[in-house]
Amino acid sequence: MGNTDTKLHFRKAVIQLTTKTQPVEATDDLFWDQFWVDASTTAQDVFALVPAAEIRAVREESPSNLATLCYKAVERLVQGSDSGCPSERERQIVLNCTRLLTRILPYIFEDADWRGFFWSTVPGADGGDDEARPLAESLLLAVADLLFCPDFTVQSHKKSSADTAEAVRSIDSCEYIWEAGVGFAQSPPLNYIHDVNRTELLKLLLTCFSEAMYLPPSSESKNLNPWVAFFCSTDNRHALPLFTSLLNVVCAYDPVGYGIPYNHLLFSDYREQLVEQAVQILIVTLEHEAGSATRAALQALDTTTSPAPIGPDNLFVNYLSRIHREEDLSFILKGLARLLNNPLVQTYLPRSNKKIQFHQELLILFWKFCDFNKKFLFFVLKSSDVLDMLVPILFYLNDARADQSRVGLIHIGVFILLLLSGERNFGVRLNKPYTLRVPMDIPVFTGTHADLLIVIFHKIITSGHQRLQPLFDCLLTVIVNISPYLKSLSMVAANKLLHLLEAFSTPWFLFSSPHNHHLVFFLLEVFNNIIQYQFDGNCNLVYAIIRKRNIFHQLANLLSDTVSIQRALQRKKKAGISRTNSTENESMEGSRPAVPAEPGTLKASLEATPGIDKITEKSQVSEDGTMVTVPNSDSPQARQQTTDDSAAAGASDTENIYIMLPVCSQVLSWKAKLPLQTIMRLLQVLVPQVEKICIDKGLTDESEILKFLQHGTLVGLLPIPHPILIRKYQANAGTAMWFRTYMWGVIYLRNVDPPIWYDTDIRLFEIQRI
C-alpha cells in the first residue's frame, strides 16, 4: 500500500511541474524534494511516471522549471558525494536523483538550444570550490566520487560507523578498486547491493556520454565528446582506479559461476548487469583518434622507467596503452576469451548454462585494445591463445550472416580479423589443427583453423544476405594476408576457394561492376602465394586447381569485345553465386543454421563501409622478414562506378555505346594484368604428368594422385617468386565514423530496460524495424 502511495506522490509532483506556468523557486525545497525523497521508486517507475511528452512540454513551456529540476538533482548528488551518504535516506536520494537525470538527459540533448545548458554555470549557485564549475563537471565529479563511496558502492575498510565527510573527501580510491586483476591483487567480497548501486550510477554516466547520439555523423576528429573528455581528464581524481575497476570487473567475470546447472534461473546475477554497463562505459570512453606521431610516441614509451604520462589527454586511453606486464596482458586476454566463448559452451543439459548477450561490446573492446596497445596485440599473436579469440569470432560471423539486424556484428568481426591478418604470426598460428566441435552449420572436415576460417568466409559470401557484398574485399584480403603461411589446406577448404573463383570469374559478374575483377585478383594472389611459398604440403589445393583448370583457361581467354560484354550482362539476372559443392549439406553435429531476424526486430543504421584501398596500406615482406610500405596501386579510376547495371538498363542506345566503350577499355586494361603465369606454368608441368599416371596405372582413385602430387616438386620450373604483399589495416576518418555509429547503435539497442533513448530524436543513426 505504501509503495502505491509513494508512486502517487511522485506522479503528482511530475504533474505539478508540467502544469505550473510560473517558475518554481530553487529555494522551495518542499516542492523539489518530492522528486527524490520517497524510498520505493525504482528506475522502471521513474521511466513510467515521467512520460516523454511531459518532459518535452516542460522543456518548451516552462524551461526555467526544467533547468531548476536538473540543477537541484545535481546539487543533491554533489551533497551525497560530499557527505559520503552515511544514512540509508541519503543513499535513496542519490539513487532517485540518478534515475531522474538518466530519464531527463536525452531530452536535453535532443534539443540543440538546450545542449549547452549543462556546460553553463548556474547563477546564484552556492559558493565554494565548485562555484565556477559548469553543471556537467559537477555532475561527473559527483558520480565519480559516489562510485567509490564506502558502504554505498564499495566495502568500507573501517569497522566503526560511516566515514566522516572529511575522510570521504580524502579517500584514496586506489584502495577501493572493485575487483582484483590489473594493478590490484585483492578481490573484495561480492555485495549485490553495491553492484546494483554501481550499475545505476554507470547508467547515468552512459547517458551523459550519449550526447554523441544527437549529433549528425561527422568524420571530423575535432568533434570530441565534451562529457567523455572531461571525465577522462586529470580533473577526475578517480580516473585510474575507475578505469582499473571497470576493466577488472569485465575481465574477471565468469558467467558460469560455480558451475551449478540452471543457476541463472534460480537467482538474479547482479554482477552481469554491472559487467554489461562497465564494458559499455569502457568502449565509449576509449573512443579516441590519436595522431600517428602521438601514437608512435605512446607505443615507444618505456613504462618501466618513465611513469610520466605521454600521449593523448584521455587518461583511459593513456592507461590502456601503457599496460605491459605479462600477467596483466594474460588476465585481459583470458577474460575476454572466456566471455566470448561463453555462448559456444555445450552441455548435456539443454539451456543449463548462462549465455551472455554483450559479445558485440566485448569485440569492440578487444578491437580497441589491439589498436591502442601494440604490446597487447603482439602478446595475443605470440601464442596459440589468439585461436581462443578466432573461434568465437568465426562462430558469430557464421551465426549472424543471414540476419540483417546483425550486419554490424559481421563488420566488426571481419575488421578484427583484417587487423590480425596484417601480422605474420596470425597466419602461422592458423596452422594449428582445429579439434573443437563448435555447433556451426558448416561442412564436417579434418583440418586446421585456417580451413575453418576459409569455410566460414565461403559461407558468408555464398549464403549471407545482400548487404554483406561490400565486405567481400575485406574477407578475401584476410585470406590473401594469411596465404603465404598456410602449410596444408584441407580438400574442403581448397574446393571452397576454387568455387569462389568460379563464381567471381563468370563474365556476368566480372562485367557488372567496374571493381568486381578485384575479387578475382585477390583469389589468384592467394593461389600464387601458396604455390610459390607453401607448395610442399598443399597437394589438396594443387589437385583442386588441376581439376578446375578450365576456370583459369577461361579467364586467360576472356572475351572482352562489346557484344560479349552485353551478352554477359543480359544473363546476369538468371545467374547468382550458388552452392555447387555436395559437401555443403554436410553440417556439423549439433549445428544450427543462421536464421533471419525475427519480424519487428529493431536495427540501427550504419555508415557506409570504406573501400579496402581506404582502410589498408600495402607492405612488402623483404628477405629478412621486415615490412616495407609500398604505394597503393588501386587507382581511383578502377573504383569509379561507370557501369552500374541500373544505369545501363535505363540508358538510350547511344548512351549504351558510350558506357560499353569505357567498359571494354577497362576490361582490356585489367585482363592484361591477370597474374596467371605461375598457375599456368604449374598446369603446363603437372597436368600431362597426372594424365600419364592415370592412363598408365588406370587410376580412378584421387588418393593415388594426391600421393604423387605430395612428393612432386616444381623447383626451378616456376617463375621467380613474387614478393609477399600484406595489406595492413590503416585507421582513417571513415572507419572512425563507422565505429562510432556502430558502437552507439549497439548501446542504444542493448539498453531497453529501462529504454533510455527510445523514441528520442537520435541523429547519429536511424532506428529501423525489420
Side-chain angles (χ1 to χ4, degrees):
M1 190 66 189
N3 190 24
T4 307
D5 288 343
T6 298
K7 291 180 184 177
L8 197 59
H9 289 148
F10 184 84
R11 180 67 192 135
K12 280 181 180 175
V14 174
I15 292 169
Q16 282 180 318
L17 186 71
T18 54
T19 53
K20 282 183 184 288
T21 52
Q22 295 300 314
V24 182
E25 291 296 325
T27 52
D28 188 355
D29 287 337
L30 199 64
F31 174 77
W32 297 112
D33 282 352
Q34 298 175 93
F35 291 98
W36 37 73
V37 293
D38 289 324
S40 50
T41 49
T42 64
Q44 284 72 18
D45 292 337
V46 170
F47 273 71
L49 298 170
V50 187
E54 293 182 17
I55 301 173
R56 289 190 177 112
V58 176
R59 188 184 70 195
E60 304 304 324
E61 295 159 26
S62 308
S64 64
N65 285 344
L66 180 60
T68 306
L69 179 64
C70 292
Y71 158 64
K72 294 294 285 185
V74 173
E75 183 184 58
R76 296 311 294 260
L77 286 181
V78 172
Q79 288 172 6
S81 68
D82 285 347
S83 68
C85 300
S87 69
E88 189 56 46
R89 182 176 181 275
E90 285 179 85
R91 292 170 199 158
Q92 196 58 49
I93 288 172
V94 163
L95 289 173
N96 286 341
C97 290
T98 299
R99 293 159 187 161
L100 194 62
L101 286 166
T102 302
R103 178 60 172 152
I104 292 171
L105 272 166
Y107 299 91
I108 299 282
F109 294 150
E110 73 174 7
D111 189 319
D113 295 334
W114 273 85
R115 219 165 281 143
F117 166 70
F118 269 86
W119 292 98
S120 58
T121 51
V122 180
D126 294 337
D129 294 340
D130 292 334
E131 186 174 10
R133 275 204 185 280
L135 202 56
E137 294 185 5
S138 299
L139 170 56
L140 291 171
L141 293 177
V143 172
D145 282 340
L146 288 164
L147 285 167
F148 294 100
C149 186
D151 293 323
F152 179 51
T153 50
V154 292
Q155 198 80 21
S156 175
H157 292 174
K158 295 191 175 182
K159 293 180 181 176
S160 59
S161 58
D163 301 55
T164 62
E166 291 78 21
V168 170
R169 277 183 173 275
S170 62
I171 196 171
D172 180 4
S173 44
C174 286
E175 297 176 7
Y176 290 87
I177 288 171
W178 301 348
E179 188 55 77
V182 176
F184 195 69
Q186 300 156 294
S187 190
L190 275 178
N191 185 317
Y192 83 92
I193 294 174
H194 292 170
D195 277 3
V196 169
N197 294 343
R198 292 165 179 169
T199 302
E200 296 226 39
L201 288 164
L202 291 181
K203 211 175 278 286
L204 172 56
L205 261 188
L206 196 62
T207 310
C208 291
F209 299 154
S210 71
E211 183 183 80
M213 284 196 209
Y214 297 90
L215 302 172
S218 167
S219 58
E220 288 184 25
S221 56
K222 294 174 188 174
N223 195 9
L224 291 173
N225 186 325
W227 295 83
V228 171
F230 179 79
F231 191 74
C232 298
S233 72
T234 50
D235 288 279
N236 180 4
R237 69 188 182 97
H238 302 294
L240 176 58
L242 188 55
F243 169 76
T244 309
S245 294
L246 295 168
L247 180 60
N248 290 355
V249 155
V250 172
C251 294
Y253 178 58
D254 185 358
V256 177
Y258 294 106
I260 305 167
Y262 303 107
N263 58 358
H264 59 289
L265 302 179
L266 304 176
F267 54 85
S268 296
D269 182 358
Y270 295 102
R271 180 51 59 110
E272 182 186 15
Q273 297 167 26
L274 174 64
V275 170
E276 195 170 310
Q277 289 297 312
V279 73
Q280 289 176 4
I281 291 287
L282 277 173
I283 62 176
V284 168
T285 50
L286 290 170
E287 190 188 8
H288 180 80
E289 293 154 42
S292 54
T294 304
R295 186 77 61 83
L298 200 57
Q299 298 306 334
L301 176 67
D302 181 359
T303 50
T304 56
T305 58
S306 171
I310 295 176
D313 296 330
N314 182 319
L315 291 179
F316 277 33
V317 174
N318 205 325
Y319 297 144
L320 181 151
S321 63
R322 292 161 57 115
I323 296 171
H324 63 283
R325 295 192 314 164
E326 291 253 331
E327 55 267 41
D328 290 340
L329 299 174
S330 176
F331 167 74
I332 295 163
L333 178 58
K334 283 187 177 2
L336 294 176
R338 182 196 314 115
L339 292 172
L340 284 170
N341 278 282
N342 163 263
L344 285 65
V345 175
Q346 294 185 83
T347 58
Y348 292 108
L349 300 170
R351 298 188 182 87
S352 63
N353 267 3
K354 184 180 187 64
K355 304 288 187 192
I356 62 159
Q357 302 297 320
F358 51 93
H359 45 272
Q360 294 193 79
E361 295 97 314
L362 289 166
L363 289 173
I364 298 171
L365 184 61
F366 178 70
W367 168 270
K368 288 182 182 293
F369 261 94
C370 291
D371 193 26
F372 287 132
N373 190 323
K374 294 307 171 202
K375 286 193 176 100
F376 177 78
L377 177 60
F378 297 142
F379 178 83
V380 168
L381 292 168
K382 80 175 188 180
S383 73
S384 295
D385 289 346
V386 66
L387 303 177
D388 294 335
M389 300 297 296
L390 172 73
V391 173
I393 289 172
L394 293 176
F395 170 83
Y396 295 126
L397 291 180
N398 182 62
D399 192 51
R401 72 179 190 276
D403 184 345
Q404 284 202 40
S405 68
R406 293 194 284 170
V407 174
L409 169 59
I410 294 197
H411 277 72
I412 181 73
V414 173
F415 284 154
I416 288 172
L417 296 179
L418 179 63
L419 179 73
L420 295 176
S421 73
E423 307 296 335
R424 176 185 177 276
N425 272 2
F426 181 65
V428 172
R429 300 294 163 221
L430 292 179
N431 288 305
K432 186 175 180 180
Y434 174 69
T435 54
L436 292 170
R437 280 295 172 259
V438 173
M440 288 190 268
D441 59 321
I442 58 173
V444 179
F445 70 92
T446 301
T448 65
H449 284 76
D451 295 314
L452 177 69
L453 181 144
I454 289 168
V455 165
I456 287 178
F457 279 17
H458 174 272
K459 196 94 175 177
I460 293 168
I461 291 170
T462 58
S463 62
H465 54 78
Q466 205 57 31
R467 289 185 64 199
L468 297 180
Q469 193 153 338
L471 275 180
F472 288 2
D473 275 0
C474 268
L475 291 165
L476 294 187
T477 299
V478 172
I479 301 177
V480 171
N481 283 348
I482 64 174
S483 59
Y485 314 110
L486 304 183
K487 294 183 180 302
S488 177
L489 283 186
S490 69
M491 188 61 82
V492 170
N495 283 333
K496 298 298 182 194
L497 289 175
L498 266 298
H499 174 231
L500 289 179
L501 182 67
E502 189 173 20
F504 290 147
S505 61
T506 54
W508 71 263
F509 185 80
L510 277 175
F511 302 145
S512 61
S513 169
H515 60 264
N516 278 356
H517 66 279
H518 283 277
L519 303 175
V520 169
F521 274 74
F522 283 140
L523 285 164
L524 291 177
E525 192 174 340
V526 169
F527 299 140
N528 288 337
N529 281 342
I530 293 176
I531 292 166
Q532 289 281 21
Y533 292 97
Q534 298 291 347
F535 181 81
D536 296 341
N538 269 299
C539 57
N540 288 326
L541 181 66
V542 174
Y543 178 64
I545 289 172
I546 291 172
R547 280 185 61 231
K548 293 283 188 177
R549 57 190 179 276
N550 63 309
I551 302 172
F552 303 98
H553 291 302
Q554 285 168 8
L555 264 177
N557 300 307
L558 186 70
L559 294 173
S560 52
D561 59 282
T562 308
V563 176
S564 301
I565 291 174
Q566 277 184 320
R567 197 175 292 151
L569 288 173
Q570 284 166 358
R571 282 199 295 264
K572 180 184 177 184
K573 291 176 185 175
K574 301 174 188 175
I577 300 176
S578 59
R579 302 174 179 182
T580 58
N581 294 344
S582 58
T583 53
E584 194 69 41
N585 297 321
E586 294 178 43
S587 293
M588 280 199 167
E589 191 178 341
S591 68
R592 49 200 175 90
V595 290
E598 292 283 330
T601 301
L602 295 177
K603 68 169 181 176
S605 64
L606 286 164
E607 287 295 288
T609 313
I612 193 68
D613 54 323
K614 300 285 193 300
I615 62 174
T616 57
E617 65 175 16
K618 287 183 182 177
S619 295
Q620 193 168 300
V621 182
S622 58
E623 288 182 18
D624 61 356
T626 56
M627 306 279 257
V628 182
T629 304
V630 294
N632 217 328
S633 62
D634 290 337
S635 63
Q637 291 86 346
R639 290 279 172 187
Q640 200 177 338
Q641 294 283 348
T642 52
T643 54
D644 191 299
D645 220 21
S646 57
S652 67
D653 290 343
T654 311
E655 287 170 327
N656 269 331
I657 292 168
Y658 283 119
I659 289 170
M660 295 313 294
L661 284 173
V663 171
C664 291
S665 168
Q666 282 184 13
V667 171
L668 285 169
S669 172
W670 60 252
K671 182 186 165 187
K673 297 173 187 171
L674 278 169
L676 288 166
Q677 297 86 347
T678 298
I679 295 169
M680 289 306 194
R681 183 70 182 133
L682 176 143
L683 293 173
Q684 186 186 359
V685 172
L686 292 181
V687 170
Q689 294 180 17
V690 169
E691 287 177 343
K692 185 174 187 302
I693 290 172
C694 290
I695 294 167
D696 290 351
K697 296 188 176 180
L699 290 181
T700 54
D701 182 12
E702 67 179 29
S703 62
E704 287 293 323
I705 301 167
L706 286 169
K707 197 178 292 182
F708 163 74
L709 293 173
Q710 202 170 353
H711 296 99
T713 180
L714 291 176
V715 173
L717 297 173
L718 294 177
I720 296 168
H722 57 282
I724 296 173
L725 279 182
I726 302 295
R727 293 165 181 83
K728 293 172 80 76
Y729 170 80
Q730 185 65 33
N732 61 49
T735 52
M737 193 61 245
W738 186 91
F739 273 105
R740 188 176 303 135
T741 55
Y742 171 58
M743 175 182 73
W744 280 112
V746 168
I747 290 171
Y748 177 102
L749 295 170
R750 298 275 298 117
N751 285 273
V752 292
D753 185 24
I756 299 175
W757 301 283
Y758 181 72
D759 216 17
T760 60
D761 189 16
I762 301 290
R763 300 188 66 198
L764 184 64
F765 49 82
E766 291 177 14
I767 294 295
Q768 301 145 346
R769 194 175 294 276
I770 293 177

